[in-house]
Every structure is written in structure tokens, then in C-alpha cells.
mmCIF file of all heavy atoms in Angstrom:
data_model
loop_
_atom_site.group_PDB
_atom_site.id
_atom_site.type_symbol
_atom_site.label_atom_id
_atom_site.label_comp_id
_atom_site.label_asym_id
_atom_site.label_seq_id
_atom_site.Cartn_x
_atom_site.Cartn_y
_atom_site.Cartn_z
ATOM 1 N N GLY A 1 11.882 -0.832 5.260
ATOM 2 C CA GLY A 1 11.101 -1.961 5.774
ATOM 3 C C GLY A 1 10.282 -1.578 6.997
ATOM 4 O O GLY A 1 9.125 -1.992 7.133
ATOM 5 N N ASP A 2 10.859 -0.763 7.885
ATOM 6 C CA ASP A 2 10.112 -0.290 9.061
ATOM 7 C C ASP A 2 8.901 0.543 8.650
ATOM 8 O O ASP A 2 7.817 0.412 9.222
ATOM 9 C CB ASP A 2 11.007 0.533 9.983
ATOM 10 C CG ASP A 2 12.041 -0.301 10.713
ATOM 11 O OD1 ASP A 2 11.907 -1.549 10.732
ATOM 12 O OD2 ASP A 2 13.001 0.293 11.262
ATOM 13 N N GLU A 3 9.091 1.398 7.656
ATOM 14 C CA GLU A 3 7.976 2.217 7.170
ATOM 15 C C GLU A 3 6.896 1.352 6.519
ATOM 16 O O GLU A 3 5.704 1.605 6.688
ATOM 17 C CB GLU A 3 8.478 3.278 6.187
ATOM 18 C CG GLU A 3 9.291 4.372 6.826
ATOM 19 C CD GLU A 3 8.474 5.219 7.795
ATOM 20 O OE1 GLU A 3 7.436 5.764 7.398
ATOM 21 O OE2 GLU A 3 8.892 5.339 8.959
ATOM 22 N N VAL A 4 7.310 0.344 5.781
ATOM 23 C CA VAL A 4 6.342 -0.554 5.151
ATOM 24 C C VAL A 4 5.529 -1.278 6.222
ATOM 25 O O VAL A 4 4.308 -1.420 6.110
ATOM 26 C CB VAL A 4 7.028 -1.562 4.199
ATOM 27 C CG1 VAL A 4 6.051 -2.632 3.733
ATOM 28 C CG2 VAL A 4 7.620 -0.840 3.001
ATOM 29 N N LYS A 5 6.196 -1.705 7.287
ATOM 30 C CA LYS A 5 5.480 -2.379 8.380
ATOM 31 C C LYS A 5 4.455 -1.449 9.024
ATOM 32 O O LYS A 5 3.337 -1.864 9.322
ATOM 33 C CB LYS A 5 6.464 -2.883 9.436
ATOM 34 C CG LYS A 5 7.252 -4.085 8.998
ATOM 35 C CD LYS A 5 8.260 -4.472 10.059
ATOM 36 C CE LYS A 5 9.241 -5.494 9.518
ATOM 37 N NZ LYS A 5 10.324 -5.762 10.458
ATOM 38 N N ARG A 6 4.841 -0.187 9.241
ATOM 39 C CA ARG A 6 3.884 0.786 9.794
ATOM 40 C C ARG A 6 2.691 0.952 8.869
ATOM 41 O O ARG A 6 1.542 1.009 9.306
ATOM 42 C CB ARG A 6 4.556 2.145 9.987
ATOM 43 C CG ARG A 6 5.486 2.207 11.168
ATOM 44 C CD ARG A 6 6.057 3.590 11.391
ATOM 45 N NE ARG A 6 5.005 4.573 11.551
ATOM 46 C CZ ARG A 6 5.098 5.838 11.135
ATOM 47 N NH1 ARG A 6 6.184 6.262 10.533
ATOM 48 N NH2 ARG A 6 4.114 6.684 11.332
ATOM 49 N N MET A 7 2.973 1.047 7.569
ATOM 50 C CA MET A 7 1.919 1.220 6.582
ATOM 51 C C MET A 7 0.988 0.011 6.569
ATOM 52 O O MET A 7 -0.235 0.151 6.534
ATOM 53 C CB MET A 7 2.556 1.438 5.204
ATOM 54 C CG MET A 7 1.595 1.813 4.122
ATOM 55 S SD MET A 7 2.444 2.238 2.577
ATOM 56 C CE MET A 7 3.307 0.729 2.200
ATOM 57 N N GLN A 8 1.557 -1.193 6.638
ATOM 58 C CA GLN A 8 0.747 -2.410 6.637
ATOM 59 C C GLN A 8 -0.089 -2.510 7.911
ATOM 60 O O GLN A 8 -1.226 -2.972 7.864
ATOM 61 C CB GLN A 8 1.628 -3.644 6.490
ATOM 62 C CG GLN A 8 2.184 -3.801 5.098
ATOM 63 C CD GLN A 8 3.063 -5.027 4.983
ATOM 64 O OE1 GLN A 8 3.965 -5.226 5.788
ATOM 65 N NE2 GLN A 8 2.796 -5.837 3.993
ATOM 66 N N PHE A 9 0.459 -2.086 9.045
ATOM 67 C CA PHE A 9 -0.303 -2.104 10.285
ATOM 68 C C PHE A 9 -1.524 -1.199 10.172
ATOM 69 O O PHE A 9 -2.635 -1.581 10.536
ATOM 70 C CB PHE A 9 0.562 -1.668 11.471
ATOM 71 C CG PHE A 9 -0.215 -1.536 12.745
ATOM 72 C CD1 PHE A 9 -0.597 -2.667 13.444
ATOM 73 C CD2 PHE A 9 -0.594 -0.299 13.220
ATOM 74 C CE1 PHE A 9 -1.346 -2.565 14.607
ATOM 75 C CE2 PHE A 9 -1.332 -0.169 14.378
ATOM 76 C CZ PHE A 9 -1.716 -1.310 15.075
ATOM 77 N N LEU A 10 -1.326 0.018 9.659
ATOM 78 C CA LEU A 10 -2.457 0.922 9.478
ATOM 79 C C LEU A 10 -3.461 0.362 8.480
ATOM 80 O O LEU A 10 -4.670 0.481 8.674
ATOM 81 C CB LEU A 10 -1.979 2.296 9.006
ATOM 82 C CG LEU A 10 -1.321 3.166 10.052
ATOM 83 C CD1 LEU A 10 -0.692 4.397 9.407
ATOM 84 C CD2 LEU A 10 -2.323 3.580 11.112
ATOM 85 N N ALA A 11 -2.970 -0.264 7.421
ATOM 86 C CA ALA A 11 -3.863 -0.842 6.418
ATOM 87 C C ALA A 11 -4.705 -1.967 7.009
ATOM 88 O O ALA A 11 -5.846 -2.185 6.592
ATOM 89 C CB ALA A 11 -3.064 -1.347 5.222
ATOM 90 N N SER A 12 -4.162 -2.660 7.997
ATOM 91 C CA SER A 12 -4.914 -3.768 8.612
ATOM 92 C C SER A 12 -6.120 -3.263 9.406
ATOM 93 O O SER A 12 -7.020 -4.037 9.714
ATOM 94 C CB SER A 12 -4.001 -4.609 9.508
ATOM 95 O OG SER A 12 -3.663 -3.902 10.689
ATOM 96 N N THR A 13 -6.147 -1.970 9.729
ATOM 97 C CA THR A 13 -7.277 -1.413 10.467
ATOM 98 C C THR A 13 -8.410 -0.972 9.539
ATOM 99 O O THR A 13 -9.504 -0.677 10.011
ATOM 100 C CB THR A 13 -6.853 -0.198 11.326
ATOM 101 O OG1 THR A 13 -6.437 0.864 10.466
ATOM 102 C CG2 THR A 13 -5.738 -0.577 12.282
ATOM 103 N N LEU A 14 -8.148 -0.915 8.233
ATOM 104 C CA LEU A 14 -9.164 -0.482 7.276
ATOM 105 C C LEU A 14 -10.107 -1.622 6.922
ATOM 106 O O LEU A 14 -9.728 -2.791 6.984
ATOM 107 C CB LEU A 14 -8.506 0.024 5.988
ATOM 108 C CG LEU A 14 -7.552 1.205 6.104
ATOM 109 C CD1 LEU A 14 -6.978 1.524 4.732
ATOM 110 C CD2 LEU A 14 -8.242 2.409 6.688
ATOM 111 N N THR A 15 -11.292 -1.258 6.498
ATOM 112 C CA THR A 15 -12.206 -2.276 5.983
ATOM 113 C C THR A 15 -11.696 -2.728 4.619
ATOM 114 O O THR A 15 -10.950 -1.997 3.948
ATOM 115 C CB THR A 15 -13.628 -1.709 5.821
ATOM 116 O OG1 THR A 15 -13.592 -0.648 4.855
ATOM 117 C CG2 THR A 15 -14.190 -1.198 7.139
ATOM 118 N N GLN A 16 -12.095 -3.894 4.196
ATOM 119 C CA GLN A 16 -11.653 -4.416 2.900
ATOM 120 C C GLN A 16 -12.109 -3.496 1.765
ATOM 121 O O GLN A 16 -11.365 -3.235 0.830
ATOM 122 C CB GLN A 16 -12.170 -5.839 2.677
ATOM 123 C CG GLN A 16 -11.568 -6.529 1.475
ATOM 124 C CD GLN A 16 -10.057 -6.678 1.583
ATOM 125 O OE1 GLN A 16 -9.545 -7.063 2.626
ATOM 126 N NE2 GLN A 16 -9.340 -6.388 0.526
ATOM 127 N N GLU A 17 -13.313 -2.984 1.873
ATOM 128 C CA GLU A 17 -13.840 -2.075 0.847
ATOM 129 C C GLU A 17 -12.982 -0.815 0.740
ATOM 130 O O GLU A 17 -12.653 -0.360 -0.348
ATOM 131 C CB GLU A 17 -15.282 -1.694 1.178
ATOM 132 C CG GLU A 17 -15.889 -0.739 0.194
ATOM 133 C CD GLU A 17 -17.297 -0.332 0.564
ATOM 134 O OE1 GLU A 17 -17.858 -0.880 1.530
ATOM 135 O OE2 GLU A 17 -17.816 0.555 -0.124
ATOM 136 N N SER A 18 -12.630 -0.267 1.885
ATOM 137 C CA SER A 18 -11.802 0.930 1.906
ATOM 138 C C SER A 18 -10.410 0.644 1.359
ATOM 139 O O SER A 18 -9.836 1.449 0.618
ATOM 140 C CB SER A 18 -11.716 1.457 3.341
ATOM 141 O OG SER A 18 -11.074 2.685 3.388
ATOM 142 N N LEU A 19 -9.865 -0.504 1.687
ATOM 143 C CA LEU A 19 -8.537 -0.894 1.216
ATOM 144 C C LEU A 19 -8.521 -1.129 -0.292
ATOM 145 O O LEU A 19 -7.559 -0.776 -0.974
ATOM 146 C CB LEU A 19 -8.088 -2.153 1.953
ATOM 147 C CG LEU A 19 -6.625 -2.527 1.890
ATOM 148 C CD1 LEU A 19 -5.742 -1.401 2.393
ATOM 149 C CD2 LEU A 19 -6.384 -3.785 2.685
ATOM 150 N N ASN A 20 -9.604 -1.689 -0.813
ATOM 151 C CA ASN A 20 -9.680 -1.996 -2.242
ATOM 152 C C ASN A 20 -9.680 -0.750 -3.118
ATOM 153 O O ASN A 20 -9.330 -0.826 -4.301
ATOM 154 C CB ASN A 20 -10.914 -2.826 -2.552
ATOM 155 C CG ASN A 20 -10.786 -4.254 -2.052
ATOM 156 O OD1 ASN A 20 -9.697 -4.721 -1.748
ATOM 157 N ND2 ASN A 20 -11.903 -4.935 -1.938
ATOM 158 N N CYS A 21 -10.088 0.379 -2.565
ATOM 159 C CA CYS A 21 -10.128 1.604 -3.374
ATOM 160 C C CYS A 21 -9.100 2.633 -2.903
ATOM 161 O O CYS A 21 -9.221 3.816 -3.187
ATOM 162 C CB CYS A 21 -11.529 2.183 -3.412
ATOM 163 S SG CYS A 21 -12.172 2.653 -1.826
ATOM 164 N N LEU A 22 -8.080 2.164 -2.196
ATOM 165 C CA LEU A 22 -7.029 3.058 -1.706
ATOM 166 C C LEU A 22 -5.926 3.190 -2.755
ATOM 167 O O LEU A 22 -5.314 2.209 -3.162
ATOM 168 C CB LEU A 22 -6.441 2.514 -0.399
ATOM 169 C CG LEU A 22 -5.262 3.275 0.190
ATOM 170 C CD1 LEU A 22 -5.647 4.725 0.513
ATOM 171 C CD2 LEU A 22 -4.762 2.572 1.438
ATOM 172 N N TYR A 23 -5.717 4.411 -3.193
ATOM 173 C CA TYR A 23 -4.660 4.696 -4.159
ATOM 174 C C TYR A 23 -3.529 5.438 -3.468
ATOM 175 O O TYR A 23 -3.768 6.311 -2.640
ATOM 176 C CB TYR A 23 -5.191 5.569 -5.309
ATOM 177 C CG TYR A 23 -6.027 4.801 -6.289
ATOM 178 C CD1 TYR A 23 -7.387 4.606 -6.067
ATOM 179 C CD2 TYR A 23 -5.465 4.259 -7.432
ATOM 180 C CE1 TYR A 23 -8.161 3.897 -6.960
ATOM 181 C CE2 TYR A 23 -6.235 3.548 -8.344
ATOM 182 C CZ TYR A 23 -7.583 3.374 -8.098
ATOM 183 O OH TYR A 23 -8.346 2.666 -8.982
ATOM 184 N N VAL A 24 -2.303 5.074 -3.802
ATOM 185 C CA VAL A 24 -1.113 5.762 -3.302
ATOM 186 C C VAL A 24 -0.273 6.170 -4.502
ATOM 187 O O VAL A 24 -0.467 5.663 -5.609
ATOM 188 C CB VAL A 24 -0.296 4.878 -2.331
ATOM 189 C CG1 VAL A 24 -1.103 4.531 -1.097
ATOM 190 C CG2 VAL A 24 0.194 3.618 -3.007
ATOM 191 N N LYS A 25 0.662 7.082 -4.295
ATOM 192 C CA LYS A 25 1.508 7.529 -5.402
ATOM 193 C C LYS A 25 2.797 6.732 -5.453
ATOM 194 O O LYS A 25 3.447 6.505 -4.440
ATOM 195 C CB LYS A 25 1.828 9.012 -5.251
ATOM 196 C CG LYS A 25 0.661 9.887 -5.609
ATOM 197 C CD LYS A 25 1.093 11.314 -5.750
ATOM 198 C CE LYS A 25 -0.100 12.134 -6.204
ATOM 199 N NZ LYS A 25 0.257 13.522 -6.400
ATOM 200 N N HIS A 26 3.129 6.313 -6.662
ATOM 201 C CA HIS A 26 4.389 5.618 -6.928
ATOM 202 C C HIS A 26 4.940 6.172 -8.230
ATOM 203 O O HIS A 26 4.269 6.125 -9.258
ATOM 204 C CB HIS A 26 4.154 4.108 -7.036
ATOM 205 C CG HIS A 26 5.369 3.329 -7.401
ATOM 206 N ND1 HIS A 26 6.526 3.343 -6.657
ATOM 207 C CD2 HIS A 26 5.619 2.528 -8.464
ATOM 208 C CE1 HIS A 26 7.426 2.574 -7.238
ATOM 209 N NE2 HIS A 26 6.905 2.073 -8.336
ATOM 210 N N ASN A 27 6.144 6.723 -8.159
ATOM 211 C CA ASN A 27 6.770 7.362 -9.329
ATOM 212 C C ASN A 27 5.861 8.417 -9.952
ATOM 213 O O ASN A 27 5.773 8.536 -11.167
ATOM 214 C CB ASN A 27 7.167 6.324 -10.376
ATOM 215 C CG ASN A 27 8.301 5.460 -9.932
ATOM 216 O OD1 ASN A 27 9.146 5.872 -9.137
ATOM 217 N ND2 ASN A 27 8.341 4.234 -10.420
ATOM 218 N N GLY A 28 5.129 9.152 -9.104
ATOM 219 C CA GLY A 28 4.263 10.220 -9.587
ATOM 220 C C GLY A 28 2.914 9.760 -10.108
ATOM 221 O O GLY A 28 2.103 10.589 -10.505
ATOM 222 N N GLN A 29 2.673 8.471 -10.120
ATOM 223 C CA GLN A 29 1.414 7.917 -10.625
ATOM 224 C C GLN A 29 0.598 7.373 -9.465
ATOM 225 O O GLN A 29 1.162 6.802 -8.532
ATOM 226 C CB GLN A 29 1.688 6.764 -11.608
ATOM 227 C CG GLN A 29 2.539 7.122 -12.780
ATOM 228 C CD GLN A 29 1.733 7.768 -13.878
ATOM 229 O OE1 GLN A 29 0.540 7.551 -13.976
ATOM 230 N NE2 GLN A 29 2.389 8.568 -14.699
ATOM 231 N N LYS A 30 -0.723 7.505 -9.534
ATOM 232 C CA LYS A 30 -1.574 6.889 -8.524
ATOM 233 C C LYS A 30 -1.794 5.426 -8.894
ATOM 234 O O LYS A 30 -2.196 5.117 -10.022
ATOM 235 C CB LYS A 30 -2.928 7.593 -8.454
ATOM 236 C CG LYS A 30 -2.879 8.921 -7.758
ATOM 237 C CD LYS A 30 -4.273 9.490 -7.597
ATOM 238 C CE LYS A 30 -4.234 10.745 -6.784
ATOM 239 N NZ LYS A 30 -5.591 11.282 -6.576
ATOM 240 N N ILE A 31 -1.485 4.539 -7.945
ATOM 241 C CA ILE A 31 -1.718 3.110 -8.154
ATOM 242 C C ILE A 31 -2.422 2.554 -6.921
ATOM 243 O O ILE A 31 -2.384 3.152 -5.845
ATOM 244 C CB ILE A 31 -0.410 2.334 -8.431
ATOM 245 C CG1 ILE A 31 0.524 2.383 -7.217
ATOM 246 C CG2 ILE A 31 0.285 2.847 -9.677
ATOM 247 C CD1 ILE A 31 1.725 1.449 -7.334
ATOM 248 N N LEU A 32 -3.055 1.418 -7.086
ATOM 249 C CA LEU A 32 -3.729 0.785 -5.965
ATOM 250 C C LEU A 32 -2.721 0.361 -4.903
ATOM 251 O O LEU A 32 -1.591 -0.027 -5.219
ATOM 252 C CB LEU A 32 -4.515 -0.439 -6.427
ATOM 253 C CG LEU A 32 -5.827 -0.143 -7.142
ATOM 254 C CD1 LEU A 32 -6.394 -1.425 -7.758
ATOM 255 C CD2 LEU A 32 -6.841 0.461 -6.190
ATOM 256 N N TYR A 33 -3.135 0.412 -3.662
ATOM 257 C CA TYR A 33 -2.283 0.043 -2.535
ATOM 258 C C TYR A 33 -1.692 -1.359 -2.728
ATOM 259 O O TYR A 33 -0.503 -1.572 -2.498
ATOM 260 C CB TYR A 33 -3.090 0.125 -1.235
ATOM 261 C CG TYR A 33 -2.367 -0.431 -0.045
ATOM 262 C CD1 TYR A 33 -1.390 0.309 0.608
ATOM 263 C CD2 TYR A 33 -2.662 -1.705 0.439
ATOM 264 C CE1 TYR A 33 -0.717 -0.198 1.706
ATOM 265 C CE2 TYR A 33 -1.993 -2.222 1.536
ATOM 266 C CZ TYR A 33 -1.029 -1.472 2.163
ATOM 267 O OH TYR A 33 -0.358 -1.984 3.242
ATOM 268 N N GLY A 34 -2.505 -2.308 -3.152
ATOM 269 C CA GLY A 34 -2.036 -3.682 -3.360
ATOM 270 C C GLY A 34 -0.912 -3.758 -4.384
ATOM 271 O O GLY A 34 0.056 -4.511 -4.207
ATOM 272 N N SER A 35 -1.014 -2.977 -5.442
ATOM 273 C CA SER A 35 0.046 -2.935 -6.457
ATOM 274 C C SER A 35 1.319 -2.324 -5.887
ATOM 275 O O SER A 35 2.430 -2.751 -6.214
ATOM 276 C CB SER A 35 -0.406 -2.123 -7.670
ATOM 277 O OG SER A 35 -1.519 -2.722 -8.281
ATOM 278 N N PHE A 36 1.161 -1.335 -5.026
ATOM 279 C CA PHE A 36 2.310 -0.702 -4.393
ATOM 280 C C PHE A 36 3.045 -1.690 -3.497
ATOM 281 O O PHE A 36 4.275 -1.761 -3.505
ATOM 282 C CB PHE A 36 1.844 0.522 -3.589
ATOM 283 C CG PHE A 36 2.967 1.296 -2.974
ATOM 284 C CD1 PHE A 36 3.828 2.051 -3.753
ATOM 285 C CD2 PHE A 36 3.160 1.274 -1.606
ATOM 286 C CE1 PHE A 36 4.862 2.777 -3.182
ATOM 287 C CE2 PHE A 36 4.195 1.998 -1.024
ATOM 288 C CZ PHE A 36 5.043 2.742 -1.819
ATOM 289 N N ILE A 37 2.298 -2.474 -2.749
ATOM 290 C CA ILE A 37 2.906 -3.488 -1.886
ATOM 291 C C ILE A 37 3.641 -4.527 -2.734
ATOM 292 O O ILE A 37 4.742 -4.963 -2.375
ATOM 293 C CB ILE A 37 1.846 -4.153 -0.982
ATOM 294 C CG1 ILE A 37 1.326 -3.152 0.044
ATOM 295 C CG2 ILE A 37 2.385 -5.391 -0.285
ATOM 296 C CD1 ILE A 37 2.383 -2.654 1.022
ATOM 297 N N LYS A 38 3.075 -4.903 -3.883
ATOM 298 C CA LYS A 38 3.763 -5.843 -4.779
ATOM 299 C C LYS A 38 5.071 -5.253 -5.289
ATOM 300 O O LYS A 38 6.072 -5.957 -5.405
ATOM 301 C CB LYS A 38 2.855 -6.226 -5.948
ATOM 302 C CG LYS A 38 1.760 -7.179 -5.571
ATOM 303 C CD LYS A 38 0.919 -7.552 -6.761
ATOM 304 C CE LYS A 38 -0.242 -8.432 -6.319
ATOM 305 N NZ LYS A 38 -1.147 -8.723 -7.432
ATOM 306 N N THR A 39 5.071 -3.967 -5.571
ATOM 307 C CA THR A 39 6.298 -3.290 -6.010
ATOM 308 C C THR A 39 7.359 -3.344 -4.917
ATOM 309 O O THR A 39 8.530 -3.612 -5.187
ATOM 310 C CB THR A 39 5.992 -1.827 -6.389
ATOM 311 O OG1 THR A 39 5.027 -1.814 -7.444
ATOM 312 C CG2 THR A 39 7.241 -1.091 -6.812
ATOM 313 N N ALA A 40 6.939 -3.100 -3.674
ATOM 314 C CA ALA A 40 7.876 -3.170 -2.551
ATOM 315 C C ALA A 40 8.412 -4.589 -2.393
ATOM 316 O O ALA A 40 9.599 -4.790 -2.121
ATOM 317 C CB ALA A 40 7.194 -2.707 -1.269
ATOM 318 N N GLN A 41 7.555 -5.573 -2.584
ATOM 319 C CA GLN A 41 7.980 -6.972 -2.477
ATOM 320 C C GLN A 41 8.992 -7.312 -3.577
ATOM 321 O O GLN A 41 9.988 -7.994 -3.316
ATOM 322 C CB GLN A 41 6.774 -7.899 -2.568
ATOM 323 C CG GLN A 41 7.115 -9.355 -2.366
ATOM 324 C CD GLN A 41 5.890 -10.251 -2.421
ATOM 325 O OE1 GLN A 41 4.877 -9.896 -2.999
ATOM 326 N NE2 GLN A 41 5.992 -11.415 -1.827
ATOM 327 N N GLU A 42 8.751 -6.819 -4.782
ATOM 328 C CA GLU A 42 9.684 -7.064 -5.885
ATOM 329 C C GLU A 42 11.049 -6.427 -5.598
ATOM 330 O O GLU A 42 12.092 -7.029 -5.875
ATOM 331 C CB GLU A 42 9.110 -6.521 -7.194
ATOM 332 C CG GLU A 42 7.928 -7.318 -7.705
ATOM 333 C CD GLU A 42 7.169 -6.611 -8.825
ATOM 334 O OE1 GLU A 42 7.563 -5.483 -9.231
ATOM 335 O OE2 GLU A 42 6.170 -7.182 -9.278
ATOM 336 N N THR A 43 11.048 -5.231 -5.044
ATOM 337 C CA THR A 43 12.308 -4.579 -4.677
ATOM 338 C C THR A 43 13.031 -5.386 -3.609
ATOM 339 O O THR A 43 14.245 -5.575 -3.671
ATOM 340 C CB THR A 43 12.055 -3.139 -4.186
ATOM 341 O OG1 THR A 43 11.424 -2.396 -5.228
ATOM 342 C CG2 THR A 43 13.351 -2.462 -3.785
ATOM 343 N N SER A 44 12.270 -5.906 -2.652
ATOM 344 C CA SER A 44 12.854 -6.738 -1.604
ATOM 345 C C SER A 44 13.503 -7.985 -2.200
ATOM 346 O O SER A 44 14.611 -8.364 -1.815
ATOM 347 C CB SER A 44 11.779 -7.130 -0.594
ATOM 348 O OG SER A 44 12.329 -7.867 0.459
#
């Protein structure tokens, strides 16, 4: 949860355009940042 908060804080500094095209890796696959956050929320 602490790491997620750090990640969200950094994401809040990005422009919306930059955030919309940000891909991160989840289970070896590249997914959109927003989808990754939804995955974290589902785990929570």
C-alpha cells in the first residue's frame, strides 16, 4: 500500500496525456497504468 501511494503521488505529477499512454508490467504483460491500479484495488 505504501508503494502504491508513492506511485499514485508520482502519477499525479504527470499530464493526463502522458498518464493515458503509460504502460506498466503486470504478470509479465504490459498494461495501462489505470488497469494496473484497478488490479491493485481488486486485490485490496
Side-chain angles (χ1 to χ4, degrees):
D2 289 345
E3 290 295 305
V4 170
K5 287 177 191 173
R6 285 184 57 214
M7 188 173 60
Q8 287 180 309
F9 174 76
L10 285 171
S12 72
T13 65
L14 300 178
T15 63
Q16 190 61 45
E17 179 182 354
S18 187
L19 195 57
N20 288 344
C21 61
L22 176 60
Y23 284 86
V24 297
K25 285 193 176 182
H26 176 58
N27 291 332
Q29 303 277 335
K30 284 186 174 182
I31 64 170
L32 284 170
Y33 171 79
S35 298
F36 184 71
I37 292 297
K38 285 182 184 175
T39 300
Q41 184 178 23
E42 290 167 1
T43 300
S44 183

